[in-house]
C-alpha cells in the first residue's frame, strides 16, 4: 500500500507490532459502510466515474456478503481491516479498486469506522440498560411493601422497603442512560474528508457522506477529526460509571445472599457450587460483575493514558484505542445481562428481611420524631430520651415496640400509649413521605432513550431474556 518509496519489506517484528487486523476486523461492517458512503459521494461529485463508483460499490457488497458468511480471514501481509477490504476489492474488480482511496486517508477512515462502531455499541448498551431497568421496576413493584432494614455504615438504620431500595439502582441506571445518550449525541460527527490531517483538494461533499452514515454533521476541524478519541473516552467513562453501579448492586447481592443475612437466594441457574464444600451456593455471577467493573475502569484509564501526551494529529499510538473499548463493551454488556437475569430470578426472603428490620431498633428515629411531634420535645432531647429507651430494650432483650408503657413512661412521662402506633416497622415505613417511599414512574428514561433503541415499557415479566449479542458489536 505504501511500498513505492521502500526497497524492502518490513522486518517480521515490525509487521507484528504494526498489525492491528486481529483487533480492528471487528468493525469490518463499519469499514465497508463508510467506504460505500465515500465512493457514492466520489461518484456523485464526478471525482471518479460513475462506472468505477458502481464497480466499487458492487465489489464492497460482495465483500460484505463474504465476511458475513465466513468472517474476515486474516492475511499477515495486510496490516489492518482497511487494507484487507481494499486488497480483496482489487482481487474482485481490478485496478478500479485503487480509486476508492481518492480524497481519503486511513486516518479519517479509521476515525469514522470506530465512531460508527462505538455509536452502535452505545445503542446496544442502551437496550441492555433498559432491560435491567425494566426488571428492577417489576421487582420493585412486587416488593413495594416488603419491609427491610435500610442501612448506613452497614448498620440497621431505618426500615425501608425492598422496592424503595431497588429503585435506587433504577435511578443510577437512569443517569447512566443519559450519560450514554449524551456521549452518543456528541460523537455523532463525521471525520470523513479530513483525509490524513489537512483535508483534501478534491471537490468532496462532506455533508453528503456524513448524512449517508447517519452523522449529524461533518467534524469542523480536520486536525481534530483524525486525532480525536473523545468519543471513545466518553463511552469508556460512561461504561465505568455504569459498571460501578452494577458493582454496588452486585455487592449487595453477595451480602444479601450470605447465610447471616439470607435476604436473597439465587436459584440454581444463577448459582455455582463448590468442588469441596457440598453445602455451598455461591453468587459467582454477582462477584464477577463486581470484578468486571475493575477491568472496565482499567480500560478507561488505559485509553486516557494513551491519549494524554499525543501531539496533533494522528500518531500510531491511536491504534491502541480499540482494545480497551472492545473489552469494556464486552464486559459491560455481559454484566448488564447477567445482572438482569439475577434480579429477575432472585428469590427474596421477605420474612427474614422483615425480621432483620424489626431486630435493629430501627424505629428509634420514629420514637424521637413522635416525641417532637406529639409532646413538643426539642429534637436533641427527644434523641436522648430515645437513646435511653433503646438501652432499656437492649438490656431487656426486647424490641422497642415490645417495651411496656410503664417502662417507657419511667424514661419520660410525656410518652403515652399512642406511641405504639409508630414503633412498628410498617408504621415507620408508611410515615415517610411518598416522594421517598413510593416508586416513581420511570418516565425520564423514556424521554432520554437514545434514538433507535426500543421502548422500555410496557413491562412484561419474562420479556427481558438476554438477546444474542448483535453481530456488529460482537
Ligand atoms: N490501523 C490504523 C489504526 O487503527 C489505521 C490508521 C493508520 N494510519 C496511519 N497513518 N498509519 O489507527
Amino acid at each position: 500500500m505504501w511500498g513505492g518509496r521502500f526497497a524492502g519489506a518490513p522486518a517480521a517484528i515490525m509487521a507484528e507490532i504494526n498489525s492491528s487486523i486481529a483487533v480492528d476486523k471487528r468493525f469490518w461492517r463499519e469499514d465497508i459502510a463508510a467506504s460505500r458512503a465515500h465512493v457514492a459521494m466520489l461518484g456523485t461529485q464526478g471525482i471518479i466515474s460513475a462506472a468505477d463508483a458502481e464497480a466499487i460499490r458492487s465489489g464492497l457488497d460482495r465483500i460484505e456478503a463474504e465476511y458475513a458468511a465466513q468472517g474476515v480471514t486474516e492475511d499477515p501481509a495486510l496490516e489492518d481491516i482497511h487494507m484487507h477490504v481494499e486488497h480483496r476489492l482489487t482481487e474482485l474488480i481490478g485496478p478500479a479498486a485503487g480509486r476508492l482511496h481518492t480524497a481519503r486517508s486511513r486516518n479519517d477512515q479509521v476515525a469514522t469506522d470506530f465512531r460508527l462502531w462505538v455509536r452502535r455499541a452505545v445503542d446496544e448498551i442502551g437496550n441492555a440498560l433498559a432491560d435491567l431497568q425494566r426488571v428492577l421496576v417489576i421487582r420493585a413493584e412486587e416488593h413495594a411493601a416488603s419491609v427491610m432494614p435500610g442501612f448506613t455504615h452497614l448498620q440497621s438504620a431505618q426500615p425501608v422497603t425492598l422496592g424503595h431500595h431497588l429503585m435506587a439502582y433504577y435511578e443510577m441506571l437512569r443517569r447512566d442512560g443519559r450519560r450514554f445518550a449524551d456521549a452518543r449525541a456528541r460523537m455523532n460527527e463525521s471525520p470523513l474528508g479530513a483525509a490524513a490531517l489537512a483535508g483534501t483538494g478534491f471537490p468532496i461533499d462532506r455533508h453528503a457522506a456524513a448524512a449517508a452514515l447517519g452523522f449529524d454533521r461533518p467534524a469542523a476541524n480536520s486536525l481534530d477529526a483524525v486525532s480525536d478519541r473523545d468519543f471513545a473516552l466518553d463511552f469508556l467513562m460512561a461504561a465505568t460509571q455504569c459498571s460501578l453501579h452494577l458493582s454496588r448492586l452486585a455487592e449487595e447481592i453477595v451480602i444479601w445472599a450470605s447465610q447471616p443475612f439470607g435476604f436473597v437466594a439465587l436459584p440454581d441457574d444463577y448459582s455455582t457450587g463448590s468442588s469441596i464444600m457440598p453445602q455451598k451456593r455461591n453468587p459467582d455471577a454477582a462477584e464477577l460483575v463486581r470484578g468486571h467493573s475493575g477491568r472496565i475502569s482499567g480500560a478507561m484509564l488505559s485509553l486516557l493514558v494513551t491519549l494524554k501526551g499525543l501531539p496533533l494529529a494522528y500518531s500510531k499510538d491511536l491504534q491502541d484505542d480499540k482494545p480497551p473499548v472492545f473489552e469494556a463493551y464486552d464486559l459491560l454488556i455481559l454484566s448488564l445481562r447477567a445482572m438482569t437475569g439475577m434480579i429477575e430470578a432472585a428469590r427474596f426472603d421477605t420474612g427474614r428481611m422483615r425480621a432483620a428490620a424489626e431486630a435493629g431498633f430501627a424505629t428509634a428515629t420514629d420514637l424521637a420524631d413522635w416525641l417532637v411531634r406529639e409532646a413538643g420535645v426539642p429534637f436533641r432531647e427527644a434523641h436522648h430520651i430515645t437513646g435511653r429507651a433503646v438501652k432499656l430494650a437492649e438490656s431487656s432483650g426486647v424490641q422497642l415496640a415490645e417495651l411496656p408503657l410503664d417502662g417507657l413512661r419511667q424514661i419520660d412521662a410525656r410518652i403515652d400509649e399512642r406511641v405504639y402506633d409508630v414503633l412498628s416497622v410498617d408504621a415507620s415505613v408508611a410515615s415517610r413521605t411518598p416522594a421517598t417511599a413510593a416508586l416513581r414512574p420511570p418516565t425520564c428514561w423514556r424521554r432520554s432513550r437514545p434514538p433507535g433503541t426500543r421502548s422500555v415499557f410496557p413491562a412484561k415479566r419474562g420479556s427481558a431474556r438476554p438477546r444474542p449479542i448483535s453481530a456488529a458489536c460482537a
Side-chain angles (χ1 to χ4, degrees):
M1 183 168 277
W2 29 257
R5 185 197 183 289
F6 288 78
I13 197 71
M14 176 61 207
E16 191 181 337
I17 195 172
N18 208 30
S19 172
S20 61
I21 183 61
V23 173
D24 58 29
K25 69 177 181 184
R26 189 160 170 176
F27 52 58
W28 62 265
R29 278 191 175 81
E30 284 75 15
D31 190 72
I32 291 173
S35 285
R36 219 187 254 126
H38 180 67
V39 80
M41 183 278 293
L42 292 177
T44 310
Q45 294 297 103
I47 297 168
I48 65 172
S49 72
D52 284 344
E54 175 49 28
I56 292 171
R57 191 201 54 76
S58 72
L60 289 171
D61 286 353
R62 244 187 89 184
I63 298 171
E64 187 175 51
E66 286 174 10
Y67 285 175
Q70 300 140 31
V72 180
T73 314
E74 289 179 41
D75 179 344
L78 303 168
E79 198 178 304
D80 54 28
I81 186 61
H82 324 296
M83 292 165 97
H84 275 69
V85 172
E86 194 174 324
H87 179 81
R88 181 68 185 130
L89 191 64
T90 308
E91 286 176 353
L92 290 173
I93 69 165
R99 298 192 188 279
L100 169 60
H101 216 50
T102 313
R104 186 177 79 171
S105 149
R106 277 187 299 158
N107 295 351
D108 59 343
Q109 192 181 358
V110 73
T112 304
D113 296 358
F114 195 25
R115 261 178 211 246
L116 290 172
W117 189 92
V118 174
R119 189 178 73 182
R120 186 186 282 267
V122 165
D123 292 343
E124 291 288 327
I125 297 285
N127 286 336
L129 260 174
D131 284 344
L132 177 52
Q133 286 181 291
R134 186 174 61 234
V135 166
L136 282 168
V137 170
I138 292 167
R139 301 308 311 263
E141 275 172 348
E142 189 185 320
H143 289 287
S146 302
V147 172
M148 66 176 284
F151 298 94
T152 60
H153 313 267
L154 202 53
Q155 304 278 316
S156 282
Q158 289 184 283
V160 295
T161 64
L162 178 57
H164 190 174
H165 196 115
L166 291 176
M167 286 306 282
Y169 286 97
Y170 176 91
E171 287 297 312
M172 296 177 220
L173 299 177
R174 187 175 64 78
R175 292 193 294 275
D176 292 329
R178 298 189 74 122
R179 258 185 291 277
F180 280 112
D182 285 350
R184 190 191 197 282
R186 228 180 346 265
M187 76 179 64
N188 208 28
E189 295 185 348
S190 172
L192 272 185
L197 75 164
T200 170
F202 290 100
I204 57 171
D205 180 351
R206 298 192 65 207
H207 291 271
L213 293 167
F215 287 117
D216 295 332
R217 64 191 77 84
N221 183 299
S222 65
L223 295 166
D224 178 47
V226 292
S227 67
D228 168 51
R229 294 296 182 270
D230 285 3
F231 63 95
L233 261 186
D234 274 353
F235 173 80
L236 287 171
M237 288 179 177
T240 296
Q241 219 159 334
C242 181
S243 74
L244 178 149
H245 294 145
L246 297 181
S247 180
R248 295 184 66 186
L249 180 52
E251 169 68 1
E252 305 244 40
I253 291 175
V254 171
I255 292 173
W256 291 354
S258 68
Q259 279 75 16
F261 268 78
F263 287 5
V264 74
L266 294 171
D268 288 357
D269 50 346
Y270 277 95
S271 303
T272 55
S274 157
S275 54
I276 178 169
M277 296 164 285
Q279 86 282 13
K280 291 298 286 294
R281 170 187 284 280
N282 296 330
D284 288 30
E287 292 163 64
L288 286 164
V289 168
R290 193 176 56 187
H292 287 354
S293 76
R295 292 171 63 189
I296 292 170
S297 52
M300 188 269 285
L301 211 60
S302 148
L303 183 59
L304 200 77
V305 177
T306 297
L307 296 176
K308 89 169 188 48
L310 293 185
L312 290 176
Y314 179 88
S315 298
K316 200 63 179 261
D317 315 42
L318 289 172
Q319 184 163 282
D320 279 342
D321 57 357
K322 293 159 211 82
V325 171
F326 290 160
E327 183 184 31
Y329 170 80
D330 290 341
L331 294 173
L332 184 60
I333 200 100
L334 189 59
S335 298
L336 283 164
R337 288 170 180 165
M339 188 54 85
T340 303
M342 277 188 283
I343 296 295
E344 193 175 35
R347 288 194 301 257
F348 294 103
D349 189 333
T350 51
R352 275 189 77 99
M353 291 192 304
R354 169 174 286 275
E358 284 168 347
F361 309 114
T363 56
T365 310
D366 299 277
L367 172 55
D369 286 350
W370 185 90
L371 284 161
V372 170
R373 208 172 46 243
E374 304 296 332
V377 180
F379 183 77
R380 281 291 158 227
E381 193 187 341
H383 186 283
H384 190 77
I385 296 166
T386 305
R388 291 178 58 203
V390 168
K391 203 167 161 198
L392 176 64
E394 206 167 23
S395 60
S396 329
V398 299
Q399 290 308 312
L400 283 175
E402 293 163 353
L403 282 173
L405 186 59
D406 276 1
L408 284 169
R409 287 178 65 87
Q410 265 163 36
I411 293 170
D412 195 289
R414 288 168 289 188
I415 298 175
D416 61 48
E417 65 287 341
R418 292 173 303 148
V419 77
Y420 291 102
D421 292 345
V422 303
L423 290 184
S424 79
V425 291
D426 295 294
S428 170
V429 165
S431 74
R432 250 71 60 54
T433 61
T436 54
L439 304 175
R440 277 206 278 131
T443 47
C444 302
W445 167 258
R446 258 185 292 179
R447 267 204 308 277
S448 68
R449 187 161 50 87
T453 61
R454 286 174 310 101
S455 170
V456 188
F457 293 92
K460 216 164 82 231
R461 185 85 196 266
S463 61
R465 286 274 162 241
R467 275 185 295 274
I469 296 178
S470 96
C473 287

